[in-house]
Every structure is written in C-alpha cells, then in structure tokens.
Amino acid sequence: MNLTKRPRRLRGNASIRSMVRETRVSPESLIYPVFFVEGEGIQKEIPSLPGQYHWSVDKVPTLVELCKSHGVSRLLLFGIPDHKDDHASAAYDENGIIQKAVRAIKAYDPELYVITDVCMCEYTDHGHCGILCGHEVDNDKTLEYLAKISLSHVVAGADMVAPSDMMDGRIGAIRRLLDEHGYVNTPIMSYAAKYASAFYGPFRDAAGSAPSFGDRKGYQMDPHNVKEALKECDLDVEEGADILMVKPALPYLDVLTKVADRYDLPICAYAVSGEYAMVKAAAAAGLVDEYRIMCESAISVYRAGADMLITYYALELADAMRKGDIG
C-alpha cells in the first residue's frame, strides 16, 4: 500500500507523543479552591466533596505544606462565617474569616499566591449574592459592598481578587476603589461568564450558600446563551478585568473556546464542584477510572483554550503533570 501520509508515525512511543503534543500544561497553571471556617483545630472532610476539607485558620501551616508537597502554590479562598446578616457584614470585616486566613497564609509563606473569591452569598442570611430590595438583588447598591469586600481582602494581603457575583458594573467599581487606595497593581480575575448552573450543588452545601428563596437566574447567565457571554466579557474588559473566567468548565467548553479566541487576556476555567463530585461518585461505584477521567477532563479544558484551571483535583493533577500523564 502506497501511503505517504501516516499520522501514526508521530504516535509510536511516549517520547514522540510528548514531543509533538499540541496542548501543554504545568502545575503553575493550577489553582486550588479552599474553604475556611471559624474555630480551631479543624480539618474536616466535606461530605459532598470527598477529599476536600473545611479548614480553620490555625491549620494554615498544614494546608500550605500539603499544597507545596504537590507543587501547587496558588489558592482560591472561600470563607464560611459564623455570623450572617442582610448586608454580609462579615464579608468586609477586617477580622472576618477570609481576612484572617489571608494574613495567616502570608505570614507563614509570603510567596504563596492568594486569590480571594469576592461574593456575598456565603455571608448573607438570605443566601443571595447582593443587597436585596424586596425579593430582588439591587445591582447598583451591591456594587458598593463588593468593592468594600475586595478592598478588605487586598488590605489583608490578597494578591488578586475574583468577583463571582455577576452584578453589572462590578469590575469597574472594584477597580476604582482599589486604585483610589493605591492598589493599582492588584489584578482582578472576573467570573465573566458564570452560568446559572445545576453543577454548583456540592459547593453550596460546602459553603452554606444556597439561597433561602428563589434562584440566581436573574443575575447568573442562561445556559442557552453564548453571545451573551461574549458581551459580559466585553464589558469586563472595558472595566479593567485582567483575567476572564468561564464557569463551569466542561459543560461550557464551546464558550471557553470562543472567549479564548476573542480576547488577548489570560483565560481561566473553573471545574466546579458538581463536575468533581460526579467523577468521585462514579469512581466510588467502580464505573470509571478516576485518574484517567481526571486527566482527560483537564486536558479538554486546556485544549479548549484555558490558560489556567481552578479545580478540586489541583493536587492530584499537579502530580500527574510531573509524571507526564498530562502535560
């Protein structure tokens, strides 16, 4: 048979396959989500997220050393306060759970890169992502609080803030307040295209952030829409976002690709709690090879255009990258 073109020539062994690989990743692109709670001596597994934990601030050394042992040096922090009210006052308290966690991490290891989630749902007694006017979230009033929360995180030592609320104008409001206080070099990672997804269930259990009434479809995006995602990204870029995020990851790979093709900014994807929990459940039932599913799913996100990945599998993926199973 006279075949001059044989793609299999470049698949013959591991050495050639790794040499011609189109999608390359590294542990430096991984961001590990972490949940902090009030109290002491707490490292308690989260039932809805097997292998993930609630951490108390005094356990920061244990957490940091665990991450460093896997080569992960970038964290995304979420806080679960003891006190909740209608204005989410614990979210911007200088002694709030995130503020204390940031200071503790920076005191223990100043080089660890700390990103803080900026939202109000974990801190409000109604579970919505802003200030209510009746049963609706007041967009413009909420902006003041989101900016205040962001500033409190940066004052505590956060390297980057990541607003996840999906209020219109939030990037601009946060950028202005940070700049006014001299934090002109602090980047903002925007949850630019965040969909009203069914994949957030385990997170809401872990963070105690489920809304007490209604849903978030009035401010998170309709899963049917792609052009709207690009419009949201356009607005965030205009307002000063430094990184754009698509969330969730796997169900929105098409959106991720369109965003990556359109913008010169770094692109992040968030492999959310429901994605992680489904793989864990299927693996526990003996239905899939968890390790291979973990690797293949991550590859698909990077292949679709992500420059960085927020994932509950960050530690395991970093190990897999060093082994050459993904990289």
Side-chain angles (χ1 to χ4, degrees):
M1 186 174 293
N2 185 23
L3 292 178
T4 58
K5 296 182 179 180
R6 293 179 180 268
R8 286 183 57 188
R9 292 181 188 129
L10 301 183
R11 304 175 195 150
N13 56 54
S15 182
I16 187 66
R17 288 194 297 272
S18 64
M19 187 171 71
V20 301
R21 189 166 284 163
E22 297 174 23
T23 302
R24 297 184 182 276
V25 298
S26 69
E28 286 74 23
S29 66
L30 296 169
I31 301 169
Y32 187 40
V34 179
F35 298 90
F36 278 99
V37 295
E38 299 284 4
E40 294 183 354
I42 298 171
Q43 182 185 344
K44 183 179 180 181
E45 189 171 34
I46 301 168
S48 57
L49 290 171
Q52 306 304 312
Y53 299 87
H54 285 133
W55 299 86
S56 55
V57 172
D58 64 308
K59 299 290 285 185
V60 157
T62 303
L63 168 65
V64 172
E65 292 303 325
L66 173 65
C67 292
K68 289 170 65 176
S69 71
H70 292 271
V72 172
S73 59
R74 291 149 181 86
L75 303 182
L76 175 62
L77 307 191
F78 297 92
I80 300 96
D82 280 346
H83 170 74
K84 301 188 179 192
D85 56 39
D86 61 352
H87 281 65
S89 60
Y92 49 85
D93 187 332
E94 66 177 21
N95 290 312
I97 183 62
I98 287 298
Q99 291 79 355
K100 290 188 292 188
V102 171
R103 289 194 294 267
I105 291 170
K106 286 299 183 179
Y108 184 79
D109 186 348
E111 297 304 312
L112 200 74
Y113 199 85
V114 176
I115 308 166
T116 57
D117 178 82
V118 175
C119 196
M120 299 172 70
C121 58
E122 299 106 310
Y123 301 88
T124 54
D125 52 13
H126 47 72
H128 279 281
C129 300
I131 303 299
L132 293 184
C133 179
H135 278 67
E136 300 291 331
V137 174
D138 187 323
N139 186 97
D140 294 5
K141 190 171 183 180
T142 297
L143 300 183
E144 171 190 348
Y145 289 87
L146 295 171
K148 187 188 301 187
I149 294 166
S150 298
L151 179 60
S152 73
H153 290 180
V154 175
V155 169
D159 297 293
M160 179 189 293
V161 292
S164 61
D165 55 283
M166 287 302 287
M167 297 298 118
D168 295 338
R170 70 211 192 282
I171 302 301
I174 292 169
R175 184 75 274 160
R176 284 190 295 273
L177 190 63
L178 292 182
D179 289 357
E180 287 170 7
H181 285 79
Y183 296 104
V184 297
N185 293 319
T186 300
I188 300 173
M189 176 192 288
S190 171
Y191 287 66
K194 179 179 179 181
Y195 285 84
S197 173
F199 284 87
Y200 302 148
F203 174 91
R204 292 178 180 175
D205 174 65
S209 62
S212 60
F213 64 89
D215 54 42
R216 294 178 180 145
K217 294 179 181 178
Y219 40 100
Q220 294 179 357
M221 285 185 52
D222 186 336
H224 298 77
N225 297 350
V226 178
K227 292 179 181 178
E228 184 183 11
L230 300 179
K231 178 173 70 175
E232 289 282 4
C233 290
D234 283 343
L235 292 171
D236 287 356
V237 171
E238 290 174 11
E239 293 174 23
D242 299 285
I243 299 172
L244 300 174
M245 185 199 301
V246 174
K247 178 183 181 183
L250 285 180
Y252 298 93
L253 293 180
D254 61 321
V255 179
L256 180 59
T257 296
K258 289 181 183 297
V259 170
D261 288 346
R262 184 180 178 108
Y263 302 98
D264 293 331
L265 294 181
I267 307 300
C268 183
Y270 195 148
V272 300
S273 60
E275 298 173 60
Y276 174 85
M278 285 196 302
V279 176
K280 283 288 186 182
L287 300 176
V288 299
D289 182 327
E290 180 180 4
Y291 185 81
R292 291 185 62 195
I293 290 283
M294 173 192 75
C295 292
E296 187 175 343
S297 298
I299 290 169
S300 75
V301 176
Y302 286 107
R303 191 181 64 241
D307 299 298
M308 59 200 80
L309 174 61
I310 302 168
T311 172
Y312 299 96
Y313 276 121
L315 307 185
E316 295 89 345
L317 280 170
D319 293 340
M321 289 173 182
R322 283 197 302 275
K323 289 168 59 178
D325 293 337
I326 170 177

